[in-house]
Amino acid sequence: MTEVQDRYRISRAGVLNVWQYDEQVFDFADGRLLLRGSNGAGKSKTMEMLMPFVIDGDASRLTASGRHHTSLVWLLLDGYEGQARTGYVWLEFTRTSEQGEPETVTCGVGMRATASAKRATSWFFTSSRRVGEDLQLDDAAGPLGQAALTAVLEGDEDGHGQVFDSSRRYREHVGRLLFGLPLEQYDSLLRLIYWLRQPQVGEDIDPRRLAEQLVNALPVLDSTTVSEAGATFDELEAFGEDLDRRERAALALTDFLGTYAGYARSIVSARSRAALDAATAVTSARRRVRASERELDEVGEQLGVADRAISAAEHAHADAQARRAALESGPEARSRDRLVELGR
């Protein structure tokens, strides 16, 4: 179902024993009703009795224009010769449910006025029944009183059958039942309806006042919803700030990485050159070491030859010493000594 199909529309309205009406039922065509008649025929008065009074219940706002004040006492007792009078005004709303079944809500206001007290009392009701079919607002004695109507509506199985003493509680119930609105938003809607239902509303349109009326008719935002939305916006703002910080950090890191990459390349290049120089020095040192090792081997060989020559010379010297000692101790040496002495 679309939203339009699920919306309640006025299907009928009725007046029972109020003002100049005995019993009158108005049939609406797709939620619309056209009242035609000459000036003074009672079109505005009928509108005052039905809409939006029946879905509001505030008798202080019955009057649609400043030409004639309308009150419940006047509606019930004007031209009436009796001492007390009871009557009803009602509206019937229908729609098609999601299962394709018709749904009906009847809203009404009962009222009673006495000529002696010059005052009127009112009560309010809602029901899922249809007036004139399965709901009768009168019996053989006339229109039902509040207690009798309460007894009749106690049989509603869906809980829509309720009677209210307070117009505020009734208004709150109707606002949620028909429009799904809390009382504050429903009051704003009613203010707009009251302003639009004025007979002369189109004769003097002040753009500034019209804008003000439309603003006043706007639904009042739920404080919890506003708080949640504000918290969400705060979170989004904080998230945006965090993204900005991250973006700035990313840019700073990119700049840092560019600078550090140049520095790292220069360091790597310098250390590469140093490593190449060191590798060259190591290669040269290894060549020198190998040359020194060869020289050492040669010197070692020469040292071995020299050691062997020294050893041979020492042996020859020892042999010579031994021969000398042997010669000096031999007869030849004694003979030589004697010859030396003889020669002296």
Side-chain angles (χ1 to χ4, degrees), residues 54-105:
V54 175
I55 60 173
D56 177 20
D58 187 355
S60 65
R61 298 196 287 186
L62 270 170
T63 306
S65 65
R67 298 178 181 177
H68 187 277
H69 177 67
T70 303
S71 66
L72 296 182
V73 174
W74 183 87
L75 286 175
L76 290 169
L77 300 180
D78 181 54
Y80 184 69
E81 297 179 356
Q83 292 299 312
R85 191 182 187 188
T86 301
Y88 283 90
V89 289
W90 53 271
L91 292 173
E92 179 185 278
F93 298 86
T94 59
R95 72 175 180 181
T96 303
S97 67
E98 295 181 355
Q99 292 75 26
E101 298 294 332
E103 294 182 352
T104 301
V105 173

Side-chain angles (χ1 to χ4, degrees), residues 98-144:
E98 295 181 355
Q99 292 75 26
E101 298 294 332
E103 294 182 352
T104 301
V105 173
T106 300
C107 303
V109 180
M111 57 195 81
R112 178 177 176 81
T114 57
S116 59
K118 293 292 183 181
R119 74 182 190 87
T121 58
S122 58
W123 58 94
F124 317 93
F125 73 92
T126 62
S127 175
S128 59
R129 307 187 199 180
R130 302 191 68 198
V131 176
E133 295 184 7
D134 52 356
L135 175 60
Q136 304 298 330
L137 297 178
D138 59 352
D139 54 18
L144 301 178

Side-chain angles (χ1 to χ4, degrees), residues 10-260:
I10 303 176
S11 57
R12 295 192 306 157
V15 182
L16 175 64
N17 203 34
V18 177
W19 194 41
Q20 299 176 9
Y21 290 97
D22 180 14
E23 184 175 4
Q24 179 66 49
V25 176
F26 301 96
D27 291 309
F28 285 67
D30 196 25
R32 295 175 174 83
L33 175 68
L34 176 62
L35 297 177
R36 298 180 61 185
S38 60
N39 292 337
K43 302 185 298 299
S44 298
K45 199 61 60 183
T46 302
M47 181 176 66
E48 288 177 346
M49 289 189 296
L50 293 176
M51 193 69 184
F53 172 62
V54 175
I55 60 173
D56 177 20
D58 187 355
S60 65
R61 298 196 287 186
L62 270 170
T63 306
S65 65
R67 298 178 181 177
H68 187 277
H69 177 67
T70 303
S71 66
L72 296 182
V73 174
W74 183 87
L75 286 175
L76 290 169
L77 300 180
D78 181 54
Y80 184 69
E81 297 179 356
Q83 292 299 312
R85 191 182 187 188
T86 301
Y88 283 90
V89 289
W90 53 271
L91 292 173
E92 179 185 278
F93 298 86
T94 59
R95 72 175 180 181
T96 303
S97 67
E98 295 181 355
Q99 292 75 26
E101 298 294 332
E103 294 182 352
T104 301
V105 173
T106 300
C107 303
V109 180
M111 57 195 81
R112 178 177 176 81
T114 57
S116 59
K118 293 292 183 181
R119 74 182 190 87
T121 58
S122 58
W123 58 94
F124 317 93
F125 73 92
T126 62
S127 175
S128 59
R129 307 187 199 180
R130 302 191 68 198
V131 176
E133 295 184 7
D134 52 356
L135 175 60
Q136 304 298 330
L137 297 178
D138 59 352
D139 54 18
L144 301 178
Q146 180 178 355
L149 178 65
T150 302
V152 170
L153 295 182
E154 285 179 350
D156 281 10
E157 297 179 355
D158 54 9
H160 288 172
Q162 299 187 50
V163 179
F164 302 87
D165 291 319
S166 167
S167 61
R168 177 181 176 85
R169 291 196 299 111
Y170 170 72
R171 185 164 55 251
E172 182 177 7
H173 176 72
V174 171
R176 292 191 179 277
L177 181 62
L178 292 180
F179 302 96
L181 297 175
L183 183 59
E184 295 80 4
Q185 297 183 17
Y186 187 47
D187 282 339
S188 299
L189 176 63
L190 288 173
R191 282 196 299 271
L192 179 61
I193 295 176
Y194 273 114
W195 180 68
L196 292 175
R197 68 98 188 244
Q198 299 177 67
Q200 295 82 24
V201 66
E203 296 179 3
D204 184 20
I205 296 180
D206 182 3
R208 182 177 300 176
R209 183 164 175 255
L210 176 61
E212 181 180 352
Q213 292 288 345
L214 293 176
V215 169
N216 291 334
L218 290 174
V220 179
L221 293 176
D222 180 63
S223 58
T224 303
T225 303
V226 174
S227 299
E228 292 177 353
T232 302
F233 284 126
D234 291 341
E235 292 176 359
L236 288 175
E237 183 179 2
F239 184 68
E241 293 177 354
D242 185 59
L243 285 178
D244 292 338
R245 287 194 298 269
R246 291 175 183 269
E247 184 177 1
R248 291 193 297 270
L251 291 175
L253 285 175
T254 302
D255 295 339
F256 170 75
L257 288 175
T259 304
Y260 188 79

Side-chain angles (χ1 to χ4, degrees), residues 321-344:
Q321 290 290 343
R323 287 194 301 270
R324 179 180 176 181
L327 290 174
E328 286 180 354
S329 62
E332 291 84 359
R334 289 194 297 271
S335 296
R336 179 183 61 82
D337 291 336
R338 288 180 64 185
L339 286 176
V340 171
E341 288 178 1
L342 292 176
R344 289 185 184 139

